[in-house]
Amino acid sequence: MNCSTLLCLMLTVVQLWLCSPTTQNYSAQNTDQSFTTVRRVKRGWIWEPLFVTEEQTSRMPVYVGQLKSDLDKQDGNLQYILTGEGAGSIFIIDEYNGKIYVIQKVDREEKPFYILRAQALNRNTHLPVEPESEFIIKVRDINDHEPQFLDGPYVATVPEMSPEGTSVAQVTATDGDDPSYGNSARLIYSLIQGQPYFSVEPKTGVIRMASQMDRETKDQYLVIIQAKDMVGQAGAFSATATVTINLSDMNDNPPKFIERLYYLNVSEDAPVGTTVGKIMAEDSDTGENAAMNYFIEGDSSDFFGIITDNETQEGIILLKKRVDYESKRRHSVSVKVVNRYIDDHFLKEGPFEDTATVKISVQDADEPPVFNLENYVMEIAEGVANGSLVGVVSARDPDNVNSPVRYSIVQGIHLKRLFSINEHNGTIITTEPLDREIASWHNITVTATETRNPEKISEAYVYIQVLDVNDHAPEFAKFYETFVCENAVSNQLIQSISAVDKDDSEESHHFYFSLAQESTNNSRFTVKDNQDNTAGIFTAKSGFSRQEQFYFYLPILILDNGSPPLTSTNTLTVTVCDCDTKVNTFYCRYGAFMYSMGLSTEALVAVLACILILLVVFLAIVAIKQQRKKSLFSEKVEEFRENIVRYDDEGGGEEDTEAFDISALRTRTVMRTCKPRKNITTEIHSLYRQSLQVGPDSAIFRQFISEKLEEANTDPSAPPYDSLQRYAFEGTGSLAGSLSSLGSDMSDVDQNYDYLSDWGPHFKQLAEMYASHMSVRD
């Protein structure tokens, strides 16, 4: 077998495999595979590649391809039928020869392929002569879509002075054509506007810097980018996009003064902190890159300072120290301005600072007097005579007119009594003697006033120190109560003493102690100086007797270390005590008191016993009186407790006489009198009724009160102190008098109550009650 025969055999096998059902199904699913004519050895389909171009239009149907069965004898016995997507509406088939035609325009972007099914029937029997087969008609793409920039418009920002090749932004366009077929969807980018500052990469659309640019020259650029499909070939579609590119600021410019020389003025009476003027520097940068700080250089910084207004970036010159027209009329100030934030990348461009000169002229003003010193400190010794010189203050008028100055003291009235000042020359003298122990410092305020312009006043403070003079002698630090026992032995310490001095010593005080000269030889005590401002009192002999001498008076001499030194004699009283082993302070004081009264111990005991007896007797008398008072009060309670009657109606008639007893107005004291008892009940009742009728001013009532007073004064059983008895007068009452039957000699039968009807409506019920009572009796 030769090679050609072998090749033909292999092709036949391939064709048979492709015509198998598996091959047909695979071909229908793989839409990207090319179709070729297939012939089966036995029964099978034959068709050519089936493609249709999108948007292909024609008045006549356009041939797409042909389906053919290998059983077709071309005698018209077979009928071809087409079904599936678009069959009959988009695609038609010639039922006699199997040719397929497209009758409508198709769009690949809407549907890239169609799946159809073919069938061959016998016209006579209408039975299929071939199995139904599925095939695909693929829509071929054409360049019918323009590129589009979906993300536009574009805005980008890039720092100024960026180097070439710096990426600015990227633009992207899309094309609706098939990217896998032809060049319809292959795009290329180009720069329409933006040269020579920018460039664009053709394939990626990345915009890059083509040169360094200065924001201060131009801060915004409009770049136009074009995108073409078909790789820019003839007939390609295109689209453009605009990219706005802003240059962000970099601190690449130093500040610059608008002027090199500034002129300002300030008055010499301007206070510290006054704004002298403003200067301005410019910076082409913006934001914090334009922030700057101002500085004053040289000696002028003592008088002037400068701050930055952060809003306007102006330099504000302030007065730091008062200026004087007479001393210096012009100041030349060197001002420097520096960027607050400096970019190290641009340091090579030069220093980011600038300088300018400010000429400041001082204007003359009428100034107040000026003291030679702001504060004066003076000294004067205490106790000097009135009119002694303390010191001198001096002030002058700083103006050229040199107006005379008048001085005065203004710090309080009490200080004027101590000091005075000469209003012409500022001499301060004393007006009263000064005592350092009362006040060691005096603070006064002196004013200086221009005589030509009294409104111009200045002040100075004068501090006067009163120097100490040793004018106070030392004395005991406190009162010492010293005791010595009768059985004390020689050289026994009985007291430690110390001293104080009101004077103020430049060094620490030092005191020296000793006995007075007149007591040195015959004293029974000695003084030992401890050399530490204390001293000890010691016995010089053994044994003391209170009968011989109860007190010892030691004159102790104390010397200070002042200049000149002063001495004083202080007497220490030593009391002799009767003690065995130690001093008992209480008994020593007791014995001293008795000694001073001139009494012995036995006499004092007798006096105390008498006082105790008297105290007991007094307490007994008080107890007896208290017991008598309680007994009397109980009797009175028994006398009055049953004489309280409560009435619930307007009148009780004559029944109330059983409970009321006028004798309650009399105390039982009257009953206890030694006088013979007489029956005064009727008399008292009569007097009481008469007093109710005539009132308290009647003679009958006064007689009753006098009688009660006489009985109280003559009662021997009355307590030995004043007592109070009260008698109430009820008043005259109504015109009808009392309704009580006290003292009445008439019986109920003799009573006539017809007059009750004449008393008015208030007594109507009472009148009816008694009237009915009398009628019943009758």
PDB file of all heavy atoms in Angstrom, residues 457-471:
ATOM      1  N   ILE A 457       0.751 112.981  86.908  1.00  0.00           N
ATOM      2  CA  ILE A 457       1.157 112.541  88.242  1.00  0.00           C
ATOM      3  C   ILE A 457       1.838 111.188  88.115  1.00  0.00           C
ATOM      4  O   ILE A 457       1.426 110.340  87.322  1.00  0.00           O
ATOM      5  CB  ILE A 457      -0.064 112.422  89.187  1.00  0.00           C
ATOM      6  CG1 ILE A 457      -0.819 113.761  89.250  1.00  0.00           C
ATOM      7  CG2 ILE A 457       0.366 111.991  90.576  1.00  0.00           C
ATOM      8  CD1 ILE A 457      -2.089 113.685  90.050  1.00  0.00           C
ATOM      9  N   SER A 458       2.847 111.007  88.909  1.00  0.00           N
ATOM     10  CA  SER A 458       3.515 109.700  88.986  1.00  0.00           C
ATOM     11  C   SER A 458       3.729 109.359  90.452  1.00  0.00           C
ATOM     12  O   SER A 458       3.700 110.236  91.324  1.00  0.00           O
ATOM     13  CB  SER A 458       4.846 109.712  88.231  1.00  0.00           C
ATOM     14  OG  SER A 458       5.706 110.709  88.752  1.00  0.00           O
ATOM     15  N   GLU A 459       3.921 108.070  90.726  1.00  0.00           N
ATOM     16  CA  GLU A 459       4.048 107.591  92.095  1.00  0.00           C
ATOM     17  C   GLU A 459       5.345 106.814  92.279  1.00  0.00           C
ATOM     18  O   GLU A 459       5.877 106.240  91.322  1.00  0.00           O
ATOM     19  CB  GLU A 459       2.871 106.668  92.461  1.00  0.00           C
ATOM     20  CG  GLU A 459       1.529 107.353  92.490  1.00  0.00           C
ATOM     21  CD  GLU A 459       0.428 106.384  92.878  1.00  0.00           C
ATOM     22  OE1 GLU A 459       0.689 105.161  92.876  1.00  0.00           O
ATOM     23  OE2 GLU A 459      -0.686 106.838  93.193  1.00  0.00           O
ATOM     24  N   ALA A 460       5.779 106.796  93.529  1.00  0.00           N
ATOM     25  CA  ALA A 460       6.937 105.983  93.923  1.00  0.00           C
ATOM     26  C   ALA A 460       6.663 105.448  95.318  1.00  0.00           C
ATOM     27  O   ALA A 460       6.010 106.108  96.141  1.00  0.00           O
ATOM     28  CB  ALA A 460       8.228 106.800  93.900  1.00  0.00           C
ATOM     29  N   TYR A 461       7.146 104.250  95.580  1.00  0.00           N
ATOM     30  CA  TYR A 461       6.939 103.615  96.876  1.00  0.00           C
ATOM     31  C   TYR A 461       8.203 103.771  97.718  1.00  0.00           C
ATOM     32  O   TYR A 461       9.316 103.514  97.249  1.00  0.00           O
ATOM     33  CB  TYR A 461       6.604 102.141  96.708  1.00  0.00           C
ATOM     34  CG  TYR A 461       5.323 101.927  95.938  1.00  0.00           C
ATOM     35  CD1 TYR A 461       5.358 101.589  94.586  1.00  0.00           C
ATOM     36  CD2 TYR A 461       4.081 102.075  96.549  1.00  0.00           C
ATOM     37  CE1 TYR A 461       4.185 101.400  93.879  1.00  0.00           C
ATOM     38  CE2 TYR A 461       2.906 101.889  95.848  1.00  0.00           C
ATOM     39  CZ  TYR A 461       2.961 101.542  94.502  1.00  0.00           C
ATOM     40  OH  TYR A 461       1.806 101.368  93.812  1.00  0.00           O
ATOM     41  N   VAL A 462       7.977 104.181  98.972  1.00  0.00           N
ATOM     42  CA  VAL A 462       9.080 104.391  99.910  1.00  0.00           C
ATOM     43  C   VAL A 462       8.903 103.412 101.071  1.00  0.00           C
ATOM     44  O   VAL A 462       7.849 103.409 101.732  1.00  0.00           O
ATOM     45  CB  VAL A 462       9.114 105.845 100.419  1.00  0.00           C
ATOM     46  CG1 VAL A 462      10.262 106.033 101.392  1.00  0.00           C
ATOM     47  CG2 VAL A 462       9.220 106.819  99.252  1.00  0.00           C
ATOM     48  N   TYR A 463       9.916 102.593 101.306  1.00  0.00           N
ATOM     49  CA  TYR A 463       9.895 101.623 102.388  1.00  0.00           C
ATOM     50  C   TYR A 463      10.898 102.094 103.448  1.00  0.00           C
ATOM     51  O   TYR A 463      12.105 102.187 103.196  1.00  0.00           O
ATOM     52  CB  TYR A 463      10.278 100.239 101.881  1.00  0.00           C
ATOM     53  CG  TYR A 463       9.400  99.780 100.739  1.00  0.00           C
ATOM     54  CD1 TYR A 463       9.842  99.898  99.418  1.00  0.00           C
ATOM     55  CD2 TYR A 463       8.145  99.252 100.979  1.00  0.00           C
ATOM     56  CE1 TYR A 463       9.044  99.486  98.367  1.00  0.00           C
ATOM     57  CE2 TYR A 463       7.343  98.829  99.933  1.00  0.00           C
ATOM     58  CZ  TYR A 463       7.797  98.947  98.627  1.00  0.00           C
ATOM     59  OH  TYR A 463       7.001  98.547  97.600  1.00  0.00           O
ATOM     60  N   ILE A 464      10.362 102.393 104.643  1.00  0.00           N
ATOM     61  CA  ILE A 464      11.178 102.966 105.723  1.00  0.00           C
ATOM     62  C   ILE A 464      11.343 101.896 106.799  1.00  0.00           C
ATOM     63  O   ILE A 464      10.350 101.408 107.363  1.00  0.00           O
ATOM     64  CB  ILE A 464      10.524 104.230 106.305  1.00  0.00           C
ATOM     65  CG1 ILE A 464      10.334 105.269 105.185  1.00  0.00           C
ATOM     66  CG2 ILE A 464      11.363 104.792 107.440  1.00  0.00           C
ATOM     67  CD1 ILE A 464       9.564 106.498 105.640  1.00  0.00           C
ATOM     68  N   GLN A 465      12.579 101.555 107.072  1.00  0.00           N
ATOM     69  CA  GLN A 465      12.877 100.583 108.123  1.00  0.00           C
ATOM     70  C   GLN A 465      13.319 101.314 109.387  1.00  0.00           C
ATOM     71  O   GLN A 465      14.189 102.183 109.341  1.00  0.00           O
ATOM     72  CB  GLN A 465      13.976  99.616 107.672  1.00  0.00           C
ATOM     73  CG  GLN A 465      14.296  98.549 108.701  1.00  0.00           C
ATOM     74  CD  GLN A 465      15.415  97.619 108.255  1.00  0.00           C
ATOM     75  OE1 GLN A 465      16.147  97.956 107.315  1.00  0.00           O
ATOM     76  NE2 GLN A 465      15.565  96.497 108.930  1.00  0.00           N
ATOM     77  N   VAL A 466      12.675 100.951 110.490  1.00  0.00           N
ATOM     78  CA  VAL A 466      13.020 101.538 111.787  1.00  0.00           C
ATOM     79  C   VAL A 466      14.098 100.654 112.408  1.00  0.00           C
ATOM     80  O   VAL A 466      13.862  99.469 112.693  1.00  0.00           O
ATOM     81  CB  VAL A 466      11.773 101.625 112.692  1.00  0.00           C
ATOM     82  CG1 VAL A 466      12.149 102.258 114.028  1.00  0.00           C
ATOM     83  CG2 VAL A 466      10.672 102.420 111.997  1.00  0.00           C
ATOM     84  N   LEU A 467      15.271 101.242 112.604  1.00  0.00           N
ATOM     85  CA  LEU A 467      16.400 100.494 113.147  1.00  0.00           C
ATOM     86  C   LEU A 467      16.277 100.380 114.657  1.00  0.00           C
ATOM     87  O   LEU A 467      15.827 101.316 115.340  1.00  0.00           O
ATOM     88  CB  LEU A 467      17.720 101.176 112.777  1.00  0.00           C
ATOM     89  CG  LEU A 467      17.986 101.333 111.271  1.00  0.00           C
ATOM     90  CD1 LEU A 467      19.294 102.062 111.044  1.00  0.00           C
ATOM     91  CD2 LEU A 467      17.984  99.977 110.588  1.00  0.00           C
ATOM     92  N   ASP A 468      16.654  99.245 115.141  1.00  0.00           N
ATOM     93  CA  ASP A 468      16.505  98.971 116.565  1.00  0.00           C
ATOM     94  C   ASP A 468      17.582  99.685 117.375  1.00  0.00           C
ATOM     95  O   ASP A 468      18.746  99.756 116.974  1.00  0.00           O
ATOM     96  CB  ASP A 468      16.582  97.464 116.807  1.00  0.00           C
ATOM     97  CG  ASP A 468      16.339  97.128 118.265  1.00  0.00           C
ATOM     98  OD1 ASP A 468      15.373  97.650 118.827  1.00  0.00           O
ATOM     99  OD2 ASP A 468      17.128  96.345 118.820  1.00  0.00           O
ATOM    100  N   VAL A 469      17.163 100.211 118.529  1.00  0.00           N
ATOM    101  CA  VAL A 469      18.056 100.796 119.524  1.00  0.00           C
ATOM    102  C   VAL A 469      17.863 100.004 120.805  1.00  0.00           C
ATOM    103  O   VAL A 469      16.726  99.664 121.168  1.00  0.00           O
ATOM    104  CB  VAL A 469      17.749 102.289 119.741  1.00  0.00           C
ATOM    105  CG1 VAL A 469      18.605 102.847 120.873  1.00  0.00           C
ATOM    106  CG2 VAL A 469      17.996 103.063 118.455  1.00  0.00           C
ATOM    107  N   ASN A 470      18.917  99.697 121.475  1.00  0.00           N
ATOM    108  CA  ASN A 470      18.825  98.890 122.690  1.00  0.00           C
ATOM    109  C   ASN A 470      18.235  99.735 123.806  1.00  0.00           C
ATOM    110  O   ASN A 470      18.943 100.280 124.662  1.00  0.00           O
ATOM    111  CB  ASN A 470      20.216  98.369 123.076  1.00  0.00           C
ATOM    112  CG  ASN A 470      20.139  97.290 124.138  1.00  0.00           C
ATOM    113  OD1 ASN A 470      19.090  96.687 124.321  1.00  0.00           O
ATOM    114  ND2 ASN A 470      21.247  97.046 124.832  1.00  0.00           N
ATOM    115  N   ASP A 471      16.899  99.819 123.776  1.00  0.00           N
ATOM    116  CA  ASP A 471      16.204 100.654 124.757  1.00  0.00           C
ATOM    117  C   ASP A 471      15.313  99.822 125.675  1.00  0.00           C
ATOM    118  O   ASP A 471      14.500 100.386 126.415  1.00  0.00           O
ATOM    119  CB  ASP A 471      15.365 101.713 124.051  1.00  0.00           C
ATOM    120  CG  ASP A 471      14.388 101.108 123.055  1.00  0.00           C
ATOM    121  OD1 ASP A 471      14.526  99.914 122.741  1.00  0.00           O
ATOM    122  OD2 ASP A 471      13.505 101.837 122.576  1.00  0.00           O
TER     123      ASP A 471
END
